């Protein structure tokens, strides 16, 4: 009875073990005063079938985290586990991970079929199985009819599809993608983004870690987004939650370029608040603070996160319109971004209006904030809270 119970417990534990675990992983280069911290105290869990995007600017540590997982970099602290197995000291070849990088990394002298077969041979797949596995992987990315071509005979998007097929051919439990669309032009990038979305559906049990600095890619592909800055994880949540209720100023500004207006909390009732921004009183969302942050209290300082597309430009004569001045305009095709100042608000902010506008610097306009105007973000208190929320999604 006891033995059976123990066996069942072990089996259940194995079943719920995350596909990927970073446990307080750190990576440093150099010694003494020349030490460079590339990744600090990094904690993350990714479930089987989940896609997590590591999003951040250059030098934020996202690619270092991927290299530590792939085995290309040896962590100086912490452990890396795949499916419950400690792989911190294993070579890349022994981890069974599929890796796709932005440079394609195809062998120029090998035809497509042989490029895809290379990983299978390295993993000692029986020779009589290789041809079928190559065909399966190429068909999955729509490249089945290109098996006899050389890489130079393919477009950039086609080469990237072959690189993905090579990674998939070994049937990995974990797929790592390091800025896979960065080398493509805008039109190809959009096309490949759609294909990656379809690929996710075709691989329901594969955990994916997707490194990017492009927020559109992260929002389109990821179940959760891990925001990184200065070698640290600063925020992690579902893409929808990070967009709607970012918990840090950096996340709000980096993900979507939100306006951050300094404000003072005047009154809170549930998740609604009244705040003052300079001389103006506005309504705001007051989400429940995350672990480690204090509750909202009257007279507390905060930042009001206001998305540019929610700010309305109206006639000066309209009800509740604030008088604003256009400082600059930037036409982006689908929208025009206006840089504005409003009397009584101490900082410049932006508004996106549809299409092309005839407004120019120096013009006076009516400005109306939505109701509520935005979501409150508490002052920065460090990065510790992100690690506590880095587990597998519920």
């Amino acid at each position: 009875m006891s033995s059976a119970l123990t066996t069942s417990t072990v089996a259940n534990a194995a079943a719920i073990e995350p596909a990927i675990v970073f446990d307080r992983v750190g990576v440093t280069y150099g010694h003494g005063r020349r030490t460079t911290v590339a990744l600090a105290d990094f904690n993350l869990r990714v479930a089987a079938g989940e896609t997590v995007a590591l999003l951040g600017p250059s030098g934020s540590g996202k690619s270092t985290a991927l290299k530590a997982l792939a085995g290309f970099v040896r962590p100086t602290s912490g452990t890396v586990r795949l499916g419950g197995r400690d792989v911190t000291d294993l070579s890349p070849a022994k981890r069974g991970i599929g890796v796709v990088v932005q440079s394609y990394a195809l062998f120029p002298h090998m035809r497509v079929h042989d490029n895809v077969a290379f990983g299978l041979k390295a993993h000692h797949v029986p020779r009589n199985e290789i041809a079928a596995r190559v065909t399966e992987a190429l068909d999955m990315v729509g490249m089945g009819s290109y098996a006899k071509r050389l890489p130079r005979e393919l477009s950039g998007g086609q080469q990237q599809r072959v690189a993905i097929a090579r990674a998939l051919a070994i049937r990995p439990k974990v797929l790592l993608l390091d800025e896979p669309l960065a080398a493509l032009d805008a039109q190809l990038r959009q096309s490949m983004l759609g294909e990656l979305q379809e690929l996710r559906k075709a691989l329901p049990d594969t955990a994916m870690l997707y490194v990017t600095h492009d927020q559109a890619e992260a929002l389109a592909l990821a179940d959760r987004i891990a925001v990184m800055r200065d070698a640290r994880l600063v925020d992690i949540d579902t893409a929808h939650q990070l967009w709607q209720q970012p918990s840090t100023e950096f996340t709000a500004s980096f993900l979507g370029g939100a306006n951050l207006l300094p404000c003072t909390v005047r009154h809170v009732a549930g998740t609604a608040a009244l705040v003052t921004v300079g001389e103006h009183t506005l309504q705001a969302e007051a989400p429940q603070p995350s672990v480690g942050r204090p509750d909202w209290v009257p007279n507390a300082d905060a930042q009001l996160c206001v998305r540019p597309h929610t700010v309305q430009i109206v006639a000066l004569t309209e009800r509740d319109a604030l008088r604003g001045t256009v400082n600059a305009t930037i036409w982006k095709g689908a929208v025009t971004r206006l840089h504005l100042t409003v009397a009584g608000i101490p900082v410049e902010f932006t508004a996106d209006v549809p299409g092309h506008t005839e407004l120019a610097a120096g013009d006076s306009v009516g400005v109306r904030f939505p109701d509520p105007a935005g979501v409150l973000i508490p002052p920065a208190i460090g990065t510790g809270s992100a690690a506590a929320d880095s587990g597998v999604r519920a």
Side-chain angles (χ1 to χ4, degrees):
M1 181 72 174
S2 176
S3 175
L5 181 61
T6 302
T7 302
S8 175
T9 302
V10 171
N12 289 337
I16 63 173
E17 180 71 29
I20 301 170
V21 174
F22 291 89
D23 187 3
R24 303 183 68 85
V25 172
V27 176
T28 59
Y29 301 109
H31 301 282
R33 294 182 179 178
R34 296 185 177 181
T35 297
T36 299
V37 177
L39 191 65
D41 197 27
F42 185 69
N43 294 280
L44 181 67
R45 293 167 179 258
V46 182
E50 183 183 22
T51 298
V52 172
L54 299 184
L55 178 68
S58 298
S60 61
K62 56 188 187 297
S63 288
T64 301
L66 183 143
K67 290 175 183 177
L69 180 59
F72 302 147
V73 168
R74 172 65 169 83
T76 49
S77 61
T79 58
V80 177
R81 297 194 296 276
L82 290 171
R85 181 177 60 145
D86 187 341
V87 298
T88 310
D89 296 317
L90 283 183
S91 66
K94 294 181 179 180
R95 300 192 182 199
I97 293 177
V99 181
V100 180
V101 296
Q102 62 175 289
S103 61
Y104 319 139
L106 300 179
F107 297 109
H109 63 287
M110 291 184 180
R111 298 191 181 277
V112 165
H113 179 282
D114 297 322
N115 265 284
V116 177
F118 183 85
L120 294 170
K121 293 175 182 178
H123 283 79
H124 306 293
V125 173
R127 184 172 298 180
N128 62 348
E129 295 182 17
I130 289 178
R133 295 271 289 269
V134 169
T135 299
E136 176 188 51
L138 286 174
D139 287 344
M140 189 173 291
V141 298
M143 292 295 290
S145 61
Y146 295 82
K148 295 183 179 181
R149 294 197 185 185
L150 290 167
R152 67 173 178 268
E153 298 171 329
L154 304 175
S155 69
Q158 290 170 336
Q159 290 184 56
Q160 192 59 291
R161 289 190 188 94
V162 174
I164 293 171
R166 182 174 58 188
L168 295 178
I170 64 172
R171 296 174 181 169
K173 296 293 185 183
V174 172
L175 182 62
L176 309 183
L177 301 106
D178 189 3
E179 308 230 30
L181 309 185
L184 305 179
D185 61 45
Q187 185 173 358
L188 270 178
R189 197 155 54 239
Q190 287 301 313
S191 174
M192 281 297 297
L193 191 58
E195 292 182 18
L196 286 174
Q197 288 176 318
E198 292 302 313
L199 183 63
R200 282 187 60 210
K201 297 176 185 177
L203 301 169
D205 299 322
T206 300
M208 294 190 191
L209 197 62
Y210 191 100
V211 168
T212 183
H213 65 274
D214 188 314
Q215 57 178 285
E217 291 178 23
L219 290 169
L221 291 171
D223 298 302
R224 289 188 298 150
I225 297 176
V227 181
M228 301 192 67
R229 181 188 189 188
D230 298 332
R232 292 183 177 274
L233 176 66
V234 296
D235 217 344
I236 181 166
D237 213 323
T238 64
H240 181 267
Q241 185 67 16
L242 287 184
W243 179 271
Q244 295 292 334
Q245 296 184 348
S247 62
T248 67
E249 297 174 19
F250 179 76
T251 298
S253 58
F254 188 78
L255 191 64
N259 297 298
L260 293 173
L261 308 183
C263 67
T264 301
V265 178
R266 294 305 182 195
H267 177 72
V268 179
T271 59
L274 285 179
V275 302
T276 54
V277 179
E279 300 173 2
H280 303 281
T281 299
L282 301 172
Q283 295 193 48
E285 292 182 62
Q288 184 67 30
S290 57
V291 176
R293 295 181 183 270
D295 291 332
W296 300 110
V297 295
N299 300 317
D301 292 330
Q303 296 281 345
L304 182 62
C305 168
V306 181
R307 297 290 180 186
H309 72 277
T310 67
V311 180
Q312 298 177 27
I313 303 302
V314 298
L316 281 167
T317 55
E318 285 203 21
R319 180 174 172 271
D320 298 331
L322 305 177
R323 176 175 288 274
T325 301
V326 177
N327 298 328
T329 66
I330 302 174
W331 182 44
K332 296 186 174 184
V335 299
T336 298
R337 174 154 292 187
L338 307 180
H339 291 256
L340 304 163
T341 51
V342 167
I345 294 180
V347 295
E348 182 183 79
F349 58 94
T350 59
D352 288 341
V353 297
H356 187 272
T357 178
E358 298 300 324
L359 292 171
D363 288 349
S364 295
V365 294
V367 177
R368 179 186 291 154
F369 288 100
D371 188 14
V375 61
L376 288 176
I377 300 175
I381 60 170
T383 59
S385 61
D389 190 35
S390 57
V392 177
R393 63 193 167 113

